[in-house]
Amino acid sequence: MTDIAENIEVVKSSIAEAARRSARDAEDVELLAVSKTFPSEVVSEAVDAGLRSFGENRVQELLAKQLLLPSHLRWHLIGHLQSNKIRKVLPCAEAIQGVDSLSLARDIDRVAAELGLFPKVYLEVNVAAEASKFGFAPAMLESQFEDLLALKRLEIQGLMCIPPPGKEPEDSRKYFIFLREFRDQLEKQSGASLAKLSMGMSHDYAVAVEEGATLVRVGSAIFGTR
Ligand SMILES: *Cc1c(COP(=O)(O)O)cnc(C)c1O
């Protein structure tokens, strides 16, 4: 077994244990392997080990790897997306994670209509009100949610967050709880479904699963340090 295959086994079993602790089904948690900065030969090892979903934060890098790797893989764009890259990435991405403003959402909706697409998107929430982070402030998302729902081309899957870096995995828990409860509240107030929660990275994905993550974005725990 390669190191990467071993790492994937460890991550999968930690996800399964965390799901068991919180009486969830591990099948309801998708593992997105964050392959940014790793070359396609390395990503290929994760494909051989059975992974199908990969996350990249740069459009150019996503497109380049997609060309070099098997066509049945699914690629999520996980970082901030610049409006001028939308047209390039929409046809190639399974989901856009990190839609962080109404104006970006409108741009995606418009380009999607031109291309005849219905992109899956996640709305990014700035859970700790960090000035340095992208994402909707919760109050802003609440007030703009109807406008977002009116963008008929967008298939809004749910919410995503990147908590501030903490010392311990437990430090992220309150932000994961916040995202889940905020999702519940948005659903209640709008009647819309926001089934997915993208939360948890290498150091805190087990906590995220305990708090309801349906997708964890794991890079270094699979591929090593960048
Ligand atoms: C890089 C990145 C990850 C993965 O981080 P690791 O700590 O390597 O698991 C997850 N989500 C986003 C948005 C990222 O940019």
Side-chain angles (χ1 to χ4, degrees):
M1 227 194 221
T2 65
D3 285 354
I4 286 178
E6 261 176 54
N7 292 344
I8 290 168
E9 285 313 306
V10 170
V11 171
K12 280 186 172 169
S13 61
S14 310
I15 289 172
E17 282 165 30
R20 210 173 305 125
R21 283 196 296 277
S22 51
R24 301 186 59 210
D25 189 341
E27 297 283 307
D28 296 336
V29 184
E30 185 177 359
L31 173 57
L32 183 76
V34 177
S35 48
K36 66 185 184 199
T37 77
F38 290 96
S40 58
E41 305 83 69
V42 173
V43 183
S44 193
E45 289 184 37
V47 177
D48 292 343
L51 294 190
R52 295 290 171 265
S53 300
F54 294 88
E56 291 283 339
N57 65 344
R58 290 177 196 281
V59 172
Q60 215 51 49
E61 197 175 335
L62 187 159
L63 299 181
K65 284 179 202 171
Q66 192 170 48
L67 276 179
L68 293 167
L69 287 158
S71 59
H72 63 275
L73 304 180
R74 293 180 293 266
W75 296 87
H76 289 225
L77 188 79
I78 57 171
H80 172 67
L81 173 60
Q82 289 170 298
S83 280
N84 62 0
K85 305 267 173 70
I86 294 171
R87 194 173 298 275
K88 270 203 161 147
V89 77
L90 278 197
C92 305
E94 167 73 15
I96 307 293
Q97 291 200 31
V99 171
D100 50 22
S101 70
L102 180 57
S103 74
L104 177 64
R106 285 186 169 136
D107 288 345
I108 295 173
D109 184 70
R110 180 174 43 76
V111 175
E114 289 171 23
L115 299 176
L117 299 171
F118 290 91
K120 296 186 174 116
V121 304
Y122 287 71
L123 305 175
E124 181 172 355
V125 181
N126 189 351
V127 286
E130 291 172 280
S132 61
K133 283 258 172 81
F134 289 106
F136 287 91
M140 184 67 92
L141 181 51
E142 245 186 296
S143 68
Q144 297 182 330
F145 196 54
E146 290 300 325
D147 293 332
L148 288 159
L149 291 177
L151 301 173
K152 290 301 175 205
R153 286 278 161 175
L154 301 193
E155 294 192 358
I156 301 175
Q157 307 290 294
L159 305 182
M160 74 92 88
C161 74
I162 309 169
K167 276 206 200 69
E168 304 296 330
E170 278 299 325
D171 297 340
S172 300
R173 188 180 298 276
K174 62 176 183 287
Y175 300 109
F176 297 150
I177 294 174
F178 175 83
L179 195 72
R180 185 189 69 229
E181 293 183 345
F182 182 57
R183 183 274 307 272
D184 294 346
Q185 179 196 326
L186 277 180
E187 282 187 326
K188 210 168 150 199
Q189 131 194 343
S190 67
S193 161
L194 292 169
K196 308 274 184 173
L197 289 176
S198 169
M199 55 189 198
M201 310 188 356
S202 288
H203 75 293
D204 57 10
Y205 66 86
V207 175
V209 170
E210 287 174 7
E211 296 303 340
T214 63
L215 182 147
V216 291
R217 308 178 309 266
V218 180
S220 51
I222 292 174
F223 295 108
T225 49
R226 284 182 294 271

